[in-house]
Amino acid sequence: MAVYRHSPCKIIIMATTTLLTAFAQDVREGFTAKNKHISSKYFYDDAGSRIFMQIMAMPEYYPTGCEFEILSQQSANILKQLNFKGAFNIVEFGSGDGMKTRQLLKAFTTAGAQFTYIPIDISQEAIDALQNNITTFLPSIDMQPRTGDYFEVLEELSASEVPNLFLFLGGNIGNYKYEDALGLLKKFNAGMKRGDKLLMGMDLQKNPRVVQLAYDDPHGITKAFNMNLLRRINEELEADISLDQFDFYSNYNPQNGEVRSYLVSLKKQHFHSTVLNQTFFFEKDELVWTELSKKYSFTEIESLAKEAGFGVSHNFLDCKHYFADSLWEKV
Ligand code: AVJ
């Protein structure tokens, strides 16, 4: 029988927990769920943002041109509908490159409106590009860009007496599930004063073939947009996904107005992430849901606005009636 002699020793407990990014945590959660999923917000790293610009330039992706048309041709009307007396703020959430907003700002300036333009974005790079764009074309504009959290800025602005027009353009609300969209709009509402306005870009229900083609384009650009998520997992989470073992599938359901996009595993397979220290398993033909792009009916726009504490003042439409910039007032 072995005799163990006591020897003084120290037990050192090593901290082995590393801090995981939100992306890493969401991949872990979403890729182990019964129905695999990952949020479309992770599309937009630098590479993904470049692919999204290609999407916006495709003829099949109609929302860009429609909203450009609305803001170029109807901004004088939008200004009239605001019915603000004196100076006001224009606060834009997630402003992008400013090409579309520029049309509105130009028309407002021409009409002699007095306003301060406050774009908010999480990316300093995006804000810098936007500031360049706006100041080159509209040098006289009073612009006070902010980076950071939407709601911190909202709280600040609701304290001021000046009325606000909030812009949430491009149809980004369509990426939120009903409950999440309502939650976001209620938070906007809570940070607004009575009489403040919100201009919401909302894609409309239309001929299903038109919608289907916009999200399942023949150039494969939307597929590349989705596949970029896998490339991003490989890069940021040190994974070994074979991109050619996945496909892309997108489907529009005209009965509920939902485009749902997926990655599809082409075989039974697995990949490993060193960062997560975890292996993820796929059956053949298993899906990963990547995106919801909701198309609205006018009835749904009305009821969503009402639920969130707004009244719809006016829907500004393009000539084909594909897209709406819906003007809401906090009631
Ligand atoms: C930027 C969210 C409005 O859902 O139409 C485009 C993103 N996804 N093609 C959309 C997107 C696939 C887009 N939004």
Side-chain angles (χ1 to χ4, degrees), residues 40 43-44 52 55-56 58 61 63 169-175 203 214-215 222 225-226 248 259 261 291-295 323:
S40 58
F43 282 156
Y44 303 92
F52 182 59
I55 289 180
M56 288 195 294
M58 318 188 290
Y61 191 71
L169 303 177
N172 293 325
I173 193 72
N175 281 167
D203 200 8
Y215 291 86
T222 313
F225 192 46
N226 279 255
F248 162 70
V259 175
S261 300
E291 188 175 41
L292 169 70
S293 295
K294 164 80 179 160
K295 311 303 165 197
F323 195 91

Side-chain angles (χ1 to χ4, degrees), residues 81-85 87-91 93 153-167 185 187-200 308-313 326-331:
Q81 282 285 334
L82 291 179
N83 204 23
F84 285 156
K85 313 273 179 265
F88 59 94
N89 296 318
I90 299 177
V91 186
F93 299 120
V153 181
L154 259 180
E155 211 165 275
E156 223 179 284
L157 290 168
S158 59
S160 93
E161 284 301 298
V162 184
N164 299 299
L165 166 63
F166 296 91
L167 304 177
L185 293 168
K187 267 174 97 174
F188 283 168
N189 189 281
M192 291 169 69
K193 299 190 292 283
R194 242 192 97 159
D196 278 358
K197 304 272 175 33
L198 173 61
L199 189 66
M200 295 276 305
F310 297 95
V312 178
S313 311
S326 190
L327 185 64
W328 298 4
E329 177 175 353
K330 172 163 171 153
V331 288

Side-chain angles (χ1 to χ4, degrees), residues 226-244:
N226 279 255
M227 297 297 284
N228 180 57
L229 274 172
L230 299 177
R231 188 208 49 78
R232 192 174 171 187
I233 292 172
N234 277 349
E235 201 170 286
E236 290 179 30
L237 307 184
E238 292 169 24
D240 54 2
I241 305 172
S242 314
L243 300 199
D244 57 0

